[in-house]
Amino acid sequence: MHIDSYMVWFILLIHGSSLLWPLCDTQNLIERSRNSDDVEYGKTRNLTHMLDDILKQYDMRIRPNANGPAVQVHYDIFIVSGFDSITTSMDYNIMAFIRQYWNDPRLAFENGDDYSLNVNQKMLELIWVPDMYIINEKAGELHELTVANKALRIYPNGTVLYSMRLSLTLACNMDLRKYPMDSQVCHLEMESYGYRTHDVVFKWKGGKPVSINGAIEIPEFVLHDIQTTESVNEYTTGNFTSLRVYFFLKRIFDFHLIQTYVPSILLVVISWVSFWINPEASPARVGLGITTVLTMTAQSTGVRETLPPVAYIKAIDVWMTTCLAFVFAALLEFALVNYVLTEQRQKVSKKFREKEIRKSLKRENGEAGTEIPLNIVSKNSFVTQQATGEEEDDETHPSILLLNSRVTPRLIDRISRFLFPFSYILFNVIYWPICFYGYGAETIPVHSQ
């Protein structure tokens, strides 16, 4: 009986200890979590105290190294997207990350881990930042979805990284003299607004300071080069540091070849068909000529509407005007053919009537060899002919008289069949080399260097 009681108490003791072990483990986890939280809290508290200590004596109104050497601010740019609407209003748009690096010894802190400190963008209102602005900006936007797209990072040695994401519409002075075989050089220029060169100097970051997203597809251009320069702009208020990045863009010609040049060439060639149409088929030749002229005029107007009104002549203007001149000349050629044909018909008709009247008078007089004045053309124009009894010669037949004329409608058409294509080919031989000379080989403008 006693042994059974001991066994029961022993079993209960073991079972109770097994229930107590999880409770002990839970208490240990809670203690460890508290210790970890205390450590993290301690770190956060230390960082807070560190930032408070840094900003306690910090004066954001004064640049770093006041009364000392100029602050060097380095820049790099990453273009996320853009160049999708390089418009004829002389501008283009990009979306880019613009990063600024400078050293502010007042923000240096001690840290054995040598890690950078990412702080909230609100701190930008408490420290000195460069007063960079973009000279050729037409419109700009700082993205604020879901928060303002700014980042601030401070390194232990006092180096500051300030990054922001901007969408910009920038002015680009385009030279459209060779349009659409043109290449453009668009730029982005950054400058210090208030600090002169003895206070702040802008420099490009080493390596490749301007990079672009490889997935960007530009609809009308090919971006074939990017170059950067550093310069100083001189104003009446002093000299200010400036950075420029140049984008070399070459227009894609294939679209304009299919949409503009090939249709205009076909219209010019179609206008030459009238040279093979019978000169007496006036409705067919007039209809073809007027149709090609009106179509060419409409196409030329449509092309010009997409371009800005500039003070100089563009390559596309020379092409469309020349094509219109060829089409109009083909219509004028028919006017000349019709004029010559009408004049010859009148001459033949006049000669034919003259002979008929002479024969009639001969029969009435009944004598040969009598000199007969005939009023053929007008009251003051007389033709005197010695009437003879000879029969009508074959050379006086109307069809023979038309063929014997020096200038005939068919001769004009034959000359036009050779002259028009030869002149048009000669124009193309001169036009295309001039337009494509230097295509895609633009350099940085001299006044911008």
Side-chain angles (χ1 to χ4, degrees):
M1 189 70 181
H2 291 287
I3 295 174
D4 293 338
S5 298
Y6 286 130
M7 290 295 293
V8 171
W9 282 105
F10 180 74
I11 292 171
L12 291 174
L13 179 62
I14 294 174
H15 182 69
S17 62
S18 63
L19 293 174
L20 291 174
W21 274 112
L23 294 176
C24 294
D25 291 341
T26 303
Q27 289 180 351
N28 291 334
L29 291 173
I30 292 173
E31 291 296 330
R32 291 174 185 173
S33 176
R34 286 178 179 175
N35 293 334
S36 176
D37 290 344
D38 290 340
V39 173
E40 293 298 327
Y41 175 75
K43 290 182 178 180
T44 303
R45 186 176 181 182
N46 291 336
L47 290 175
T48 302
H49 285 307
M50 181 184 68
L51 290 176
D52 290 340
D53 291 339
I54 290 175
L55 297 176
K56 187 180 298 182
Q57 302 297 328
Y58 192 93
D59 191 350
M60 62 172 295
R61 298 172 299 177
I62 303 174
R63 69 171 178 87
N65 303 321
N67 299 323
V71 180
Q72 291 191 0
V73 184
H74 295 81
Y75 285 84
D76 67 21
I77 299 175
F78 177 74
I79 299 175
V80 181
S81 62
F83 303 102
D84 54 348
S85 60
I86 303 178
T87 65
T88 55
S89 58
M90 303 290 185
D91 57 33
Y92 69 101
N93 66 334
I94 60 171
M95 184 176 71
F97 295 114
I98 299 180
R99 307 184 185 99
Q100 308 176 65
Y101 306 82
W102 71 93
N103 185 267
D104 191 342
R106 298 172 295 178
L107 297 177
F109 59 92
E110 295 182 0
N111 182 34
D113 297 334
D114 195 25
Y115 69 94
S116 61
L117 179 62
N118 292 321
V119 294
N120 188 274
Q121 57 185 268
K122 294 293 183 180
M123 191 164 178
L124 289 168
E125 301 174 1
L126 304 176
I127 65 173
W128 179 91
V129 294
D131 61 341
M132 181 272 294
Y133 79 105
I134 300 173
I135 294 180
N136 60 322
E137 173 199 356
K138 281 189 173 181
E141 176 188 4
L142 173 67
H143 292 263
E144 296 185 350
L145 188 68
T146 57
V147 294
N149 293 178
K150 296 180 180 180
L152 181 63
R153 185 179 302 170
I154 303 174
Y155 293 85
N157 63 351
T159 298
V160 181
L161 164 61
Y162 174 31
S163 175
M164 52 188 168
R165 185 166 75 106
L166 302 174
S167 287
L168 302 169
T169 300
L170 304 170
C172 178
N173 296 324
M174 301 182 184
D175 185 358
L176 300 174
R177 287 182 174 84
K178 290 187 177 182
Y179 177 89
M181 286 78 69
D182 59 323
S183 299
Q184 303 298 336
V185 181
C186 295
H187 74 287
L188 182 153
E189 183 173 3
M190 300 180 295
E191 184 181 271
S192 174
Y193 190 83
Y195 291 99
R196 291 172 291 180
T197 52
H198 63 269
D199 288 321
V200 173
V201 175
F202 288 174
K203 290 184 176 295
W204 288 112
K205 202 171 185 295
K208 190 177 181 181
V210 179
S211 57
I212 188 170
N213 184 4
I216 291 180
E217 293 186 2
I218 306 175
E220 197 174 352
F221 288 86
V222 173
L223 179 62
H224 64 90
D225 193 15
I226 299 176
Q227 296 182 19
T228 57
T229 62
E230 301 173 359
S231 62
V232 175
N233 293 336
E234 298 180 359
Y235 301 99
T236 56
T237 55
N239 299 335
F240 295 84
T241 181
S242 173
L243 296 179
R244 294 188 183 95
V245 53
Y246 294 91
F247 304 101
F248 292 82
L249 301 161
K250 181 170 65 175
R251 195 181 300 273
I252 300 174
F253 178 67
D254 300 353
F255 170 80
H256 299 277
L257 177 65
I258 300 300
Q259 294 293 326
T260 303
Y261 284 90
V262 170
S264 59
I265 291 173
L266 293 178
L267 282 174
V268 173
V269 173
I270 289 173
S271 68
W272 299 340
V273 174
S274 63
F275 303 150
W276 278 267
I277 299 177
N278 192 331
E280 297 181 358
S282 298
R285 296 189 67 162
V286 171
L288 179 62
I290 293 178
T291 301
T292 53
V293 168
L294 294 178
T295 306
M296 197 70 217
T297 304
Q299 185 185 19
S300 178
T301 303
V303 170
R304 290 190 176 97
E305 286 179 352
T306 61
L307 297 175
V310 292
Y312 47 81
I313 298 175
K314 302 176 288 294
I316 192 67
D317 295 333
V318 175
W319 176 267
M320 299 304 294
T321 302
T322 304
C323 289
L324 181 61
F326 270 94
V327 172
F328 189 71
L331 182 61
L332 291 180
E333 188 270 350
F334 171 68
L336 177 61
V337 167
N338 187 65
Y339 173 77
V340 173
L341 182 62
T342 303
E343 287 293 319
Q344 290 186 348
R345 284 177 175 174
Q346 290 178 353
K347 290 180 181 179
V348 170
S349 177
K350 184 172 67 173
K351 288 181 179 293
F352 184 74
R353 288 197 307 270
E354 176 186 340
K355 288 185 177 297
E356 290 297 324
I357 294 174
R358 189 182 299 114
K359 290 180 181 179
S360 176
L361 292 175
K362 176 183 175 182
R363 286 193 296 269
E364 290 178 1
N365 293 332
E367 296 181 357
T370 306
E371 188 175 344
I372 304 173
L374 299 177
N375 188 352
I376 302 298
V377 181
S378 62
K379 294 181 179 181
N380 298 324
S381 177
F382 292 92
V383 177
T384 305
Q385 178 87 15
Q386 182 70 26
T388 61
E390 298 178 358
E391 297 294 331
E392 181 181 356
D393 194 352
D394 290 339
E395 294 182 356
T396 61
H397 193 274
S399 62
I400 301 297
L401 290 172
L402 282 174
L403 292 175
N404 289 339
S405 300
R406 292 183 177 180
V407 180
T408 63
R410 296 189 181 277
L411 177 61
I412 297 175
D413 280 342
R414 290 193 190 100
I415 295 174
S416 299
R417 292 171 192 173
F418 168 79
L419 182 61
F420 275 72
F422 175 79
S423 301
Y424 195 65
I425 292 173
L426 181 62
F427 164 71
N428 279 266
V429 170
I430 298 173
Y431 177 83
W432 294 109
I434 293 176
C435 291
F436 277 105
Y437 177 75
Y439 180 53
E442 273 69 16
T443 58
I444 296 176
V446 177
H447 65 277
S448 299
Q449 295 181 352

